[in-house]
Amino acid sequence: MDLNYSEHEENFRSEVRGFLAAELDPALAENVRLGKQLSKQDHEGWHAKLNARGWLAPNWPEEHGGAAWDAVRRHIFEEECALAHAPRVVPFGLSMLGPVLQKFGSPEQQAFWLPRILSGEDWWCQGYSEPGAGSDLASLRTTAERDGDRYIVNGQKTWTTLGQHANMIFCLVRTDRSAKQQEGISFLLIDMNSPGVEVRPIVLLDGSAEVNEVWFRDVGVPVENLVGEENKGWTCAKFLLTHERTNIAGVGFSKAGLEAVKRIARHSRSGGRPLSENPHFAARVAQAEIDLMAMATTSLRIVSRAAAGQAPGVESSMLKVQGTIIRQEINDLARRAAGVYAMPFGSEALDGSNSGLPDPVDAGPVAAQYFNNRKLSIFGGSNEIQRQIIAKSLEGPGQ
Amino acid sequence: MNFDLSQERVMLQDSLRRFLRDRHSPQMQNAAQYPPGYDAGLWSGLAELGVFAALFSEKDGGFGGLGADIAVVFEELGRAGVTAPVTETCILGGGLLSRLGDSNQKELITGIMEGSCQIALAHAEPDGRYDLSFVSARAVPQSDGIVLNGQKSVVVNAQAADFLIISAREDGAADASEGISLFLVPSGADGIVMRDFALVGGGRAAEISIENLLVSEAARLGPAGAAFPVLEEVTAAAITATCAATLGAMISAADLTRDYLATRKQFGRPIGSFQALAHRMADMMIALEQARSAVILAAGHLEASRDVRELHASAAKNLIGRTGRLIAEESIQMHGGIGMTAEYGLGHLARQIVMADHRFGDTDHHLERFIALTAA
Ligand SMILES: Cc1cc2nc3c(=O)[nH]c(=O)nc-3n(C[C@H](O)[C@H](O)[C@H](O)COP(=O)(O)OP(=O)(O)OC[C@H]3O[C@@H](n4cnc5c(N)ncnc54)[C@H](O)[C@@H]3O)c2cc1C
């Protein structure tokens, strides 16, 4: 055992810091720090910079243009990016569809779609959930019927994150209505500019407009856009979910979030002293920090056990549950720390920012973030469903 | 002991509940994010119904004014998700006028009860956090009156208020309880600069700069430098009101969740049939009973001696802070995605519940205060 970073790893860290110092626009970083909703251009610009450096796809193998980093490097990279307030990498193409195509896609599909993910030519969104099919995803009802060399898609997806920016959506669709639930599902790539696709925004309780409903009415999709075998899409679906979960754990976000809590607590005064010196508040922060330290190591241990390019199995559920508990706790602490300055609401411009609002404690829209991040324990498979998966893996005699 | 409401209060509760059911729902509350921060029609309706008069004693021309009246009225307002400035105008404003006002100043109470007068208390300051005795705004007498200067933070209902009650220090250190005076000032007076904004929990507030505001001696509310004990008393009433309103919102959130667990199906079953959720719903109902009791204790001790009153106010605010967070978070979680939307009423209730923790001292503040009060 060696808990120290090697010299190579430390050099890598310096390299990442150097890159961030040179390439990350301070104005953009400030918007990230203040929890503003970023524009499509903000995301695209940042992706382009990472891509130019070859760092946009840390988890992809080199043959597909990835960095093929091991778990430690990925960890260092995420941590440095989060602490520098770099925009998060939009996961749908890079962390979700990419791995699916690499595992299940045909050579033609890989050659066509993967470079376009890296170049930003396509913005992907995730068409899994439906109004009636959330946790019970396999009960989905959107249908795709074969008609010559096309599928005709009908149905509705919902909660589609950043679907308003996307030109492509990967969907789970039912291709065999007679088969048992999981067996008639296929994984289909759909051009959102096709006739019959309609996107409608859903406003969330914090005023943000990040999710959408997507409707399909007789949408024609070329059969080449089927990934894997027809009616075997559930395998792709589950594979993708383990990648998604591992991502949501978000150790880097938690570290940056904890820094923010400490900053706000230094600026808030309580009884004539900074709140950071209040023993009660300090204890809450320390508790979260202790949990996070262990979580960071849990995450490293688990992720480094998984083979390159793969996501861990049932452990991804553990990471998701523990990681989201900590992230939500940190959001709660930030809200508390801001005191009355958590109350002002900035959504009159619907940009989720606090610009123009009083903020002497330099908190940003902490209440909005607290409410928005309630989603962490709901999406990517709710925490209840993760516990169910963990419990299931424990059935039978112990080892 | 008897925990039943008096007949008058049961009637008040019934008529208020019916009135709010007919003309108000949490779903409508997004409108409250915009000026003036509340529904003016609803406000006059509440006045006509006698709801405001129920918050004043007979000597002020009302027919209530006790802790139990506050608990009944605010629980109903909270259930319906109302974000009107009743606490600011009636409990804080009216409470201070009633306790400290001279006969001229008290005339405003009639307007309050009739729904034609709005008040905001400009007291908390940027460096004071939740410390009630922290006042660094200054009041300095000079030949033609008194000059006020200072900063007031997140003054709820400031923009809509006809009058502000401004706290300023005539003597002592910034956090001393002696030396604080209150001044009743028309909100449009020269020297008051407001920056107004919406609140996450509904309604509106403003940052206020007071710049060389000249007031007459007659503007002072009560004796010079001695306002703190009364501020504490009306704050205890405001805490009781906030706790009762939060309890009401918690009841509605729990009701919505219960209904949703019974109707939403996944895996071919109502989700409420999964034990992982059923037990948490049970925990929510247990928490709700605790919250009810805490409100009863705070309301029932509002007329008691200072230490007893403050102890129960702090206990209630702490307990409501904890159980409120539990119920808001669990209700959203057990709804899944639909609980996250602005359109569905739960989101508004959850914001009200959680953001109530940021008013009049949060869970931690009142825990520390409870420790201090019980150690004394
Ligand atoms: C902000 C946000 C963004 C999202 N982005 C996307 C996206 O981009 N693409 C996409 O496809 N989806 C997305 N989702 C959808 C998300 O994956 C679903 O919300 C999630 O799967 C839960 O489904 P549901 O909302 O229908 O809740 P339901 O499945 O109805 O669940 C309601 C409650 O019941 C619980 N429950 C259900 N079954 C069980 C059980 N067997 N045992 C115990 N408890 C159970 C759940 O845990 C939850 O607490 C997003 C959701 C949110 C909130």
Side-chain angles (χ1 to χ4, degrees):
Chain A
M1 197 182 313
D2 181 359
L3 294 178
N4 298 308
Y5 289 111
S6 70
E7 202 185 316
H8 284 305
E9 287 159 351
E10 287 297 357
N11 289 341
F12 174 71
R13 189 185 289 279
S14 320
E15 209 185 329
V16 174
R17 281 191 186 156
F19 169 81
L20 290 165
E23 298 291 339
L24 178 59
D25 173 8
L28 178 60
E30 182 65 2
N31 286 345
V32 173
R33 184 178 77 85
L34 290 178
K36 265 200 180 187
Q37 260 179 54
L38 303 184
S39 69
K40 185 178 187 189
Q41 291 72 27
D42 287 336
H43 285 295
E44 286 175 338
W46 182 238
H47 279 202
K49 284 183 173 171
L50 287 172
N51 191 38
R53 187 72 175 74
W55 289 357
L56 182 56
N59 56 331
W60 291 15
E62 275 165 355
E63 59 188 292
H64 293 305
W69 287 334
D70 63 11
V72 176
R73 267 163 209 253
R74 253 147 57 205
H75 175 82
I76 292 171
F77 182 69
E78 273 170 32
E79 182 170 273
E80 291 301 326
C81 286
L83 291 173
H85 307 294
R88 68 166 188 151
V89 168
V90 181
F92 306 106
L94 287 152
S95 325
M96 296 188 196
L97 181 63
V100 167
L101 288 175
Q102 287 155 25
K103 185 155 170 99
F104 302 100
S106 66
E108 294 75 30
Q109 285 174 332
Q110 293 178 353
F112 184 75
W113 296 111
L114 292 175
R116 293 166 64 100
I117 294 175
L118 292 177
S119 70
E121 205 160 339
D122 292 326
W123 182 305
W124 287 91
C125 63
Q126 180 183 25
Y128 273 33
S129 307
E130 298 181 3
S135 298
D136 184 10
L137 187 57
S139 69
L140 61 93
R141 291 213 295 239
T142 298
T143 56
E145 276 177 78
R146 186 70 184 257
D147 174 27
D149 56 0
R150 305 188 312 165
Y151 287 103
I152 304 298
V153 178
N154 278 289
Q156 184 200 347
K157 295 292 175 182
T158 191
W159 312 121
T160 320
T161 300
L162 300 183
Q164 71 268 38
H165 298 331
N167 65 314
M168 292 295 298
I169 180 169
F170 54 86
C171 282
L172 296 178
V173 292
R174 191 160 293 290
T175 34
D176 180 354
R177 276 185 258 189
S178 60
K180 239 185 64 194
Q181 276 201 340
Q182 280 88 339
E183 280 157 26
I185 292 173
S186 299
F187 194 102
L188 203 57
L189 312 179
I190 304 179
D191 185 339
M192 296 186 70
N193 295 317
S194 319
V197 178
E198 192 194 336
V199 179
R200 292 186 205 157
I202 302 175
V203 179
L204 294 184
L205 82 171
D206 61 316
S208 65
E210 62 183 42
V211 294
N212 302 271
E213 296 177 302
V214 182
W215 301 77
F216 301 92
R217 285 189 199 86
D218 294 326
V219 176
V221 181
V223 287
E224 306 90 87
N225 284 15
L226 174 76
V227 177
E229 285 174 55
E230 193 177 81
N231 297 332
K232 295 276 186 276
W234 191 247
T235 320
C236 305
K238 283 196 305 184
F239 175 81
L240 182 147
L241 281 172
T242 57
H243 281 265
E244 180 178 1
R245 271 162 208 159
T246 313
N247 239 317
I248 296 173
V251 170
F253 294 120
S254 285
K255 288 199 175 165
L258 203 60
E259 289 302 309
V261 168
K262 292 179 180 177
R263 182 191 74 230
I264 301 165
R266 280 195 303 273
H267 289 165
S268 301
R269 299 193 76 76
S270 155
R273 296 191 3 232
L275 179 65
S276 48
E277 291 172 19
N278 173 305
H280 194 163
F281 191 79
R284 285 188 186 274
V285 176
Q287 205 72 79
E289 187 160 2
I290 290 168
D291 288 344
L292 179 57
M293 278 163 58
M295 167 76 202
T297 296
T298 308
S299 167
L300 261 175
R301 282 193 302 116
I302 289 177
V303 176
S304 43
R305 270 208 304 264
Q310 306 289 308
V314 64
E315 295 89 346
S316 72
S317 297
M318 297 191 176
L319 290 181
K320 200 246 165 182
V321 173
Q322 184 63 68
T324 54
I325 289 173
I326 293 176
R327 283 176 75 181
Q328 290 178 334
E329 178 63 18
I330 290 171
N331 287 133
D332 184 67
L333 288 173
R335 167 181 77 73
R336 285 171 197 273
V340 293
Y341 287 107
M343 292 166 66
F345 183 53
S347 95
E348 264 150 87
L350 273 185
D351 63 355
S353 79
N354 259 28
S355 40
L357 293 179
D359 188 12
V361 296
D362 195 21
V366 278
Q369 283 163 354
Y370 161 86
F371 286 111
N372 186 277
N373 272 346
R374 299 316 305 168
K375 72 189 175 190
L376 297 176
S377 46
I378 296 173
F379 68 13
S382 73
N383 284 14
E384 288 74 28
I385 295 300
Q386 305 312 318
R387 291 188 176 98
Q388 205 66 30
I389 293 171
I390 298 166
K392 195 130 207 134
S393 78
L394 300 173
E395 283 173 7
Q399 289 152 7
Chain B
M1 262 191 206
N2 174 9
F3 295 112
D4 295 336
L5 291 176
S6 68
Q7 213 177 343
E8 292 78 19
R9 293 199 180 103
V10 171
M11 281 166 57
L12 175 67
Q13 185 179 51
D14 285 350
S15 59
L16 182 51
R17 190 172 298 178
R18 242 178 298 118
F19 169 77
L20 291 170
R21 193 188 301 135
D22 290 347
R23 59 166 303 149
H24 199 78
S25 73
Q27 282 85 343
M28 291 160 53
Q29 280 301 316
N30 288 328
Q33 302 296 352
Y34 301 96
Y38 64 94
D39 172 345
L42 179 82
W43 188 264
S44 47
L46 290 171
E48 272 166 41
L49 207 63
V51 172
F52 303 152
L55 299 171
F56 290 89
S57 68
E58 280 173 24
K59 78 174 175 22
D60 288 322
F63 58 83
L66 296 179
D69 302 297
I70 294 177
V72 166
V73 166
F74 281 88
E75 182 183 319
E76 292 311 313
L77 295 173
R79 269 179 192 260
V82 172
T83 56
V86 188
T87 304
E88 289 63 37
T89 294
C90 299
I91 305 295
L92 294 170
L96 289 169
L97 289 170
S98 161
R99 287 168 178 83
L100 295 174
D102 58 28
S103 53
N104 277 338
Q105 292 165 328
K106 275 192 179 162
E107 275 172 21
L108 290 179
I109 293 176
T110 315
I112 291 175
M113 290 191 291
E114 287 170 354
S116 59
C117 175
Q118 291 272 354
I119 310 242
L121 172 62
H123 173 59
E125 299 187 5
D127 280 341
R129 200 168 165 85
Y130 299 124
D131 183 357
L132 196 65
S133 67
F134 187 95
V135 176
S136 67
R138 305 294 309 191
V140 180
Q142 59 178 46
S143 56
D144 54 346
I146 306 165
V147 178
L148 308 186
N149 274 289
Q151 296 288 325
K152 297 292 175 179
S153 54
V154 194
V155 179
V156 177
N157 200 35
Q159 193 72 23
D162 303 291
F163 289 89
L164 297 179
I165 296 175
I166 300 172
S167 63
R169 185 166 289 289
E170 302 208 55
D171 190 24
D175 60 352
S177 40
E178 295 81 27
I180 301 170
S181 296
L182 295 172
F183 300 89
L184 179 67
V185 186
S187 60
D190 277 348
I192 297 176
V193 181
M194 290 190 193
R195 214 161 110 218
D196 140 272
F197 44 84
L199 295 173
V200 176
R204 298 187 75 86
E207 290 298 282
I208 297 185
S209 298
I210 302 156
E211 295 160 9
N212 295 320
L213 168 65
L214 179 66
V215 299
S216 70
E217 280 285 339
R220 197 188 270 116
L221 199 54
F228 183 74
V230 183
L231 264 174
E232 202 178 51
E233 198 183 332
V234 297
T235 301
I239 287 173
T240 304
T242 304
C243 288
T246 307
L247 169 65
M250 287 159 67
I251 293 170
S252 291
D255 280 350
L256 281 175
T257 306
R258 217 166 118 181
D259 288 349
Y260 196 73
L261 292 188
T263 50
R264 170 69 169 174
K265 284 194 177 143
Q266 289 286 277
F267 305 100
R269 295 161 51 178
I271 55 174
S273 68
F274 298 119
Q275 203 171 56
L277 302 191
H279 281 190
R280 281 153 65 191
M281 189 67 225
D283 283 340
M284 276 171 55
M285 299 314 284
I286 295 169
L288 211 49
E289 290 308 323
Q290 287 287 85
R292 279 184 217 276
S293 294
V295 170
I296 288 172
L297 283 170
H301 290 103
L302 208 49
E303 290 82 36
S305 67
R306 185 261 171 191
D307 286 359
V308 173
R309 177 190 75 212
E310 294 301 321
L311 182 91
H312 285 290
S314 280
K317 195 69 174 47
N318 171 268
L319 190 137
I320 292 282
R322 288 183 288 128
T323 52
R325 180 185 173 199
L326 174 90
I327 286 180
E329 293 183 352
E330 289 286 70
S331 293
I332 293 174
Q333 180 67 24
M334 294 202 275
H335 271 81
I338 196 79
M340 292 281 307
T341 61
E343 203 182 337
Y344 187 65
L346 178 63
H348 171 71
L349 293 166
R351 288 199 309 262
Q352 272 190 301
I353 293 166
V354 173
M355 297 318 290
D357 197 35
H358 296 261
R359 298 213 62 196
F360 313 116
D362 68 3
T363 313
D364 289 353
H365 172 84
H366 283 287
L367 184 66
E368 287 170 2
R369 199 158 175 269
F370 184 89
I371 294 170
L373 285 160
T374 44

